[in-house]
């Protein structure tokens, strides 16, 4: 069935180091991949996204890479700061029966240690 | 401020109670969604409304009843819930209606924490 696997489930890094979160999707028809950040007590907020016709996208300290052949995409955060601590979710947009839906990963809890 | 406002933020209800969750979006979007977020599980899509018409109902028990009176407002009516229904309920909206093209970014509200006792 359709699913998105996300790893790791938890990640601790020292402030200033880089963090990488990886997701693998199953449906080759997936064509849009957003990443959301959810801080404690808040709803998920979009931080970056990538479409299937692009291999990499960068926005300041965050970047996303997409490997369509391997069906995986990754979030990269450089120069991590304590305020980057949150739960991060990946998602894949899947067209289905004339509509589309998002399949979400199970989330990665990132802790940035000062 | 995400442009999607949910009330109440916290709700405790007994299994025989009737309550409602409210969502309002100020983004001029045409589609609205209810998601359920439970610990250690992926976000679960419950309902999708496009231009006030329900276009998806993901086998959600009838004790959850959605209502979309207009494109800016969405309700989730709750009746005779079970303790396992305790979760964070997230409302979201997107510009385009499902099927109008991929990549219609979903914007979430802050969520309503529901505890069923």
């Amino acid at each position: 069935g359709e699913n998105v696997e996300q790893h790791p489930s938890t990640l601790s890094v020292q402030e200033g180091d880089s963090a990488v979160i990886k997701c693998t999707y199953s449906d080759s028809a997936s064509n849009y991949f957003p990443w959301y950040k959810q801080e404690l007590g808040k709803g998920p907020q979009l931080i970056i996204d990538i479409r299937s016709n692009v291999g990499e996208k960068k926005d300041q300290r965050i970047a996303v890479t997409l490997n369509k052949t391997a069906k995986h995409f990754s979030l990269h955060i450089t120069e991590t700061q304590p305020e980057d601590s949150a739960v991060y979710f990946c998602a894949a947009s899947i067209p289905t029966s004339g509509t589309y839906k998002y399949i979400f990963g199970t989330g990665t809890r990132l802790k940035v240690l000062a | 401020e995400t442009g999607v406002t949910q009330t109440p933020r916290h709700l405790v209800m007994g299994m025989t109670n009737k309550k409602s969750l409210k969502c309002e979006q100020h983004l001029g979007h045409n589609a609205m969604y209810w998601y359920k977020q439970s610990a250690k599980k992926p976000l679960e899509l419950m309902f999708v409304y496009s231009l006030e018409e329900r276009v998806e109902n993901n086998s959600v028990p009838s004790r959850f009843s959605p209502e979309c009176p207009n494109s800016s407002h969405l309700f989730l009516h709750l009746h005779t819930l079970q303790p396992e229904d305790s979760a964070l309920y997230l409302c979201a909206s997107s510009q385009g209606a499902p099927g109008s093209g991929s990549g219609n970014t979903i914007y979430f509200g802050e969520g309503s924490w529901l505890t069923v006792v």
Side-chain angles (χ1 to χ4, degrees), chain A residues 31-32 34 36 38 41-46 49 51 89 93 98-102 104-106, chain B residues 2 9 33 35 37 42-43 56 88 90 94 97-99 101-106 108-110:
Chain A
N31 52 17
Y32 173 67
Y36 288 87
Q38 186 172 23
K42 297 187 176 182
Q45 297 226 354
L46 180 74
D49 55 14
R51 300 183 190 277
F89 292 93
S93 173
T99 181
Y100 74 96
K101 60 183 178 181
Y102 289 123
F104 285 87
T106 50
Chain B
T2 66
R9 294 295 313 278
Y33 311 76
Y35 281 87
Q37 186 174 37
L43 283 164
E56 187 157 349
L88 178 66
L90 291 161
S94 63
S102 67
N104 281 309
T105 302
I106 289 178
F108 287 92
E110 301 285 351

Side-chain angles (χ1 to χ4, degrees), chain B residues 4 6 19 23 32-33 39-40 43-44 46 48 57 60-61 72-73 77-78 81 93 95 97 101 113 117:
Chain B
V4 180
Q6 291 187 241
K19 297 286 184 182
C23 177
M32 296 188 76
Y33 311 76
K40 299 184 179 179
L43 283 164
E44 299 173 54
M46 300 176 72
V48 181
N57 175 348
V60 179
S72 298
H73 293 86
H77 303 300
L78 315 170
L81 296 191
S93 69
Q95 175 66 47
W113 285 98
V117 297

Side-chain angles (χ1 to χ4, degrees), chain B residues 13 21 34 36 46-47 54 57 59-67 75-82 84-87 89 114 116:
Chain B
M13 61 184 289
L21 305 180
W34 279 116
K36 177 182 178 182
M46 300 176 72
F47 302 103
R54 191 189 309 181
N57 175 348
S59 302
V60 179
S62 59
R63 57 185 183 269
F64 294 92
S65 175
E67 178 190 0
F75 294 89
L76 187 62
H77 303 300
L78 315 170
H79 178 47
T80 59
L81 296 191
Q82 304 298 311
E84 58 264 30
D85 296 323
S86 298
Y89 288 85
L114 173 67
V116 182

